[in-house]
């Protein structure tokens, strides 16, 4: 299999690593297991995974966004043909991109949510182009305007190519589908209680503030104004003008609960999810880097193994007089761009601990040998003195 498409979450390095690993595996497998268009399929995979291809699509999306914004000016009336040509050009590029990615990864393309979003935007663009070609704007102006307005979704395709935006989008989706749901549920329960109390306090009597608290629905809208803290002073002035004493306590209590507490909780949950998603993103980048390095090592080992096998086969087929001639022939196959395994032992913690322990033992052994030499010399001196005294 080839690598994942450029719209998928892995970075270009990881995709190139998978391409190297897959090429090594495919070369080891039998020729019977290959597809008929294996070389062309691998070439398309390399194009899709190439950073230049991704940069070109990203530039096309940005330029398309600029052209969509320029259509809102008078230039669209003075140069309609120019905008139509550019729109068809962008649509053709998106269609070619879809075909290439689908050919590179037929099954994996539909497993990625960003690819599904890109396909949806492409279908909307094709529908809009088809309606325009059939002059559907004369009979179905509303439908055509809606479809044209949905063309702005093309700018959101940039999320598929920027990992940072994907992290934020995933964090927001996780926030809204998990913790925020319970926060909103609790907020709605509190709003329900305060709406009922506000109705009986301020809108139940005929002389009350029926405009803002006359029924449950209007009371909920008034409380929503308190939650946003935008224009709540006007509502409080109307309550005060109707002579409701103590209404300030009701307003301040709900603003404290609905605005300060729940808003801060909502922001805190988003920050926590973004922080968690960022950590996962950094860990994924580290794993991708390790995978890329390991794939390079595997490819290098596989290539060197093939070189050794070829040398041995040549040795069997040729008449080398000795092993030196064979190694000299093998040296001719070496390349300057080959990766070499290098390990800096001075930066290895385990090696440093073993080295320090060995130095300590060496120092102790040296000290003991010196003491032994001193005792031997002292004993020999005593023996010499005894011999001299005897004579």
């Amino acid at each position: 299999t080839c690598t994942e498409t450029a719209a998928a979450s892995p970075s270009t390095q990881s995709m190139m690593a998978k391409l190297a690993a897959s090429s090594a595996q495919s070369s080891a497998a039998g020729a019977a297991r290959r597809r008929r268009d294996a070389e062309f399929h691998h070439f398309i995979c390399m194009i899709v995974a190439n950073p230049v291809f991704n940069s070109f699509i990203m530039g096309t999306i940005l330029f398309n966004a600029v052209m969509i914004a320029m259509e809102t000016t008078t230039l669209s009336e003075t140069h309609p043909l120019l905008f139509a040509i550019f729109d068809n050009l962008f649509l053709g590029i998106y269609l070619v991109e879809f075909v290439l990615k689908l050919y590179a990864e037929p099954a994996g393309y539909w497993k990625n949510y960003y690819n599904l979003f890109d396909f949806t935007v492409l279908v909307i663009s094709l529908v809009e182009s088809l309606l325009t070609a059939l002059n559907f704007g004369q009979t179905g102006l509303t439908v055509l305007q809606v479809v044209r307005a949905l063309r702005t979704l093309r700018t959101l395709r940039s999320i598929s190519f920027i990992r940072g935006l994907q992290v934020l989008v995933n964090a927001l989706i996780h926030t809204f589908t998990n913790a925020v749901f319970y926060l909103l549920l609790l907020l709605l329960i509190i709003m329900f209680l305060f709406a009922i109390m506000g109705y009986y306090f301020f809108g139940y009597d005929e002389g009350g503030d029926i405009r803002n608290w006359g029924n449950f629905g209007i009371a909920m809208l008034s409380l929503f104004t308190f939650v946003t803290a935008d224009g709540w002073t006007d509502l409080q002035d109307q309550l005060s003008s109707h002579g409701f004493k103590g209404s300030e306590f009701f307003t301040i209590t709900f603003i404290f609960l609905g605005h300060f507490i729940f808003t801060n909780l909502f922001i805190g949950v988003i920050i926590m999810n973004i922080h968690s998603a960022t950590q996962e993103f950094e860990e994924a980048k580290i794993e991708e880097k390790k995978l890329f390095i390991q794939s390079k090592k595997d490819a290098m080992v596989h290539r060197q193994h093939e070189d050794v096998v070829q040398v041995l086969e040549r040795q069997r087929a040729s008449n080398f007089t000795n092993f030196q001639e064979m190694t000299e022939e093998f040296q001719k196959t070496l390349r300057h761009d080959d990766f070499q395994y290098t390990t800096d032992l001075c930066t290895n913690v385990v090696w440093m601990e073993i080295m320090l322990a060995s130095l300590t033992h060496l120092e102790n052994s040296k000290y003991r040998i010196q003491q032994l030499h001193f005792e031997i010399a002292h004993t020999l001196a005593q023996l010499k003195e005894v011999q001299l005294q005897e004579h």
Side-chain angles (χ1 to χ4, degrees), residues 18-38:
K18 291 182 180 179
L19 275 175
S22 63
S23 62
Q25 293 176 358
S26 61
S27 61
R33 299 176 60 182
R34 292 185 179 182
R35 49 190 295 173
R36 296 180 179 179
D37 57 343

Side-chain angles (χ1 to χ4, degrees), residues 310-322 325-326 329:
Q310 291 178 2
V311 169
L312 293 176
E313 291 178 354
R314 292 176 183 176
Q315 193 272 337
R316 296 190 189 98
S318 59
N319 296 321
F320 290 112
T321 58
N322 52 33
E325 292 183 3
M326 186 180 70
E329 184 68 20

Side-chain angles (χ1 to χ4, degrees), residues 6 40 88 112 150 168 172 230 246 287 308 336 341 352 356:
F40 182 73
N88 292 328
N112 187 274
L150 292 177
L168 293 177
L172 290 176
D230 184 17
E287 293 297 327
V308 172
H336 296 287
Y341 286 108
M352 293 173 64
L356 292 175

Side-chain angles (χ1 to χ4, degrees), residues 4-20:
E4 296 182 355
T5 58
S9 57
S11 62
T12 305
Q13 285 188 349
S14 63
M15 288 189 291
M16 296 298 293
K18 291 182 180 179
L19 275 175

